[in-house]
């Protein structure tokens, strides 16, 4: 830690901090349970999630009807052909 001997020094200090969050399986399960409770309390029938780093503000979309869930489940992608 740096010490300043002269209290009259005026300046600017910029600090950039980067961190990585690691979540274990138990924490992930707890988060899923919390999301499930929230969804049930608000009548949400399903949810789509997008975990790409390019879309953090668009993480998910609520599906409010059984029909919307069925539509999403029926969409063909390279993962569920």
């Amino acid at each position: 830690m740096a010490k300043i001997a002269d209290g009259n020094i005026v300046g600017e200090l910029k600090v950039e901090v980067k961190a990585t969050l690691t979540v274990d399986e138990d924490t992930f399960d707890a988060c899923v349970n919390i999301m499930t409770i929230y969804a049930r309390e608000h009548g949400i029938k399903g949810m789509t999630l997008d975990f790409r780093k390019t879309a953090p503000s668009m993480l998910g979309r609520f599906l409010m009807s059984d029909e919307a869930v069925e539509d999403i489940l029926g969409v063909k992608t390279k993962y569920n052909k």
Side-chain angles (χ1 to χ4, degrees), residues 10-80:
V10 177
E12 184 177 305
L13 174 66
K14 291 184 181 182
V15 178
E16 182 178 332
V17 177
K18 294 183 179 184
T20 301
L21 174 65
T22 302
V23 177
D24 63 17
E25 189 173 343
D26 290 339
T27 303
F28 177 79
D29 289 342
C31 290
V32 169
N33 289 335
I34 291 168
M35 289 172 54
T36 301
I37 293 166
Y38 177 86
R40 286 182 182 156
E41 289 179 354
H42 291 87
I44 298 167
K45 303 290 184 177
M47 185 182 311
T48 60
L49 297 175
D50 186 349
F51 294 109
R52 295 174 294 179
K53 288 183 178 183
T54 57
S57 63
M58 300 283 295
L59 178 63
R61 180 171 62 111
F62 295 135
L63 306 173
M64 301 305 291
S65 69
D66 291 331
E67 292 80 14
V69 173
E70 292 300 321
D71 286 346
I72 290 296
L73 292 175
V75 171
K76 297 295 181 194
T77 69
K78 66 180 181 180
Y79 302 107
N80 68 348

